[in-house]
Amino acid sequence: MTAILLDTRALEVFADPKADMRAARIVRDLLALAARTGTPVRVPTAVLAEAYRGIAADAVIDRVLGNGVRPITLGQSMARQTGRLKHRDKLDSCHTVDAAVVATAIRLGGAVIATGDPDDLRSLAREHPNVRVQSL
């Protein structure tokens, strides 16, 4: 496994485990696996843009980032890949973050994506067997 990527739901339940104890346990287990194997844990900055609210509660997300979960930016080539994925699946802009998460996994050479939206991400990743989707 190249990396573990957190989508917005995974980041939210990691930041506030009481919101969904079962999903939080899955994320914790993935992060424990990452720690044991030295696998990096990343969160695309597009996910951060979706998760941040501009309120004091954003500090919880910042603490998650301080615990070894590192943001990864969406540069031009990943933005282009994101657009290709959306266009291929005939998706509108409300799926941009999902496509950006998959584009990030592709750029990393593969990843396990922890997500609350497994069907859309599996569809977007269907041509990339090294991208695995872990449902929360």
Side-chain angles (χ1 to χ4, degrees):
M1 157 176 33
T2 305
I4 294 175
L5 291 179
L6 305 180
D7 83 344
T8 305
R9 182 69 181 145
L11 180 62
E12 289 170 346
V13 299
F14 185 56
D16 181 14
K18 292 181 223 154
D20 184 338
M21 299 291 278
R22 187 181 81 62
R25 186 170 38 295
I26 293 169
V27 172
R28 272 195 320 271
D29 290 347
L30 278 173
L31 297 181
L33 174 64
R36 282 193 311 275
T37 61
T39 302
V41 180
R42 301 290 183 252
V43 59
T45 53
V47 167
L48 294 176
E50 190 171 60
Y52 279 133
R53 302 289 183 245
I55 59 175
D58 289 350
V60 176
I61 294 170
D62 293 335
R63 279 193 296 279
V64 169
L65 296 176
N67 286 328
V69 177
R70 299 283 177 245
I72 188 164
T73 60
L74 183 71
Q76 185 175 357
S77 66
M78 280 201 302
R80 190 177 305 276
Q81 178 70 30
T82 298
R84 268 195 298 271
L85 292 169
K86 281 189 336 180
H87 179 74
R88 183 200 65 198
D89 285 9
K90 297 177 176 63
L91 299 172
D92 61 24
S93 62
C94 71
H95 294 279
T96 299
V97 174
D98 290 343
V101 171
V102 173
T104 301
I106 293 166
R107 179 170 179 247
L108 291 172
V112 173
I113 302 171
T115 181
D117 194 9
D119 294 336
D120 287 343
L121 271 71
R122 280 191 186 106
S123 177
L124 287 162
R126 69 182 174 269
E127 295 174 356
H128 302 276
N130 56 344
V131 176
R132 196 179 100 216
V133 176
Q134 173 63 55
S135 180
L136 299 180

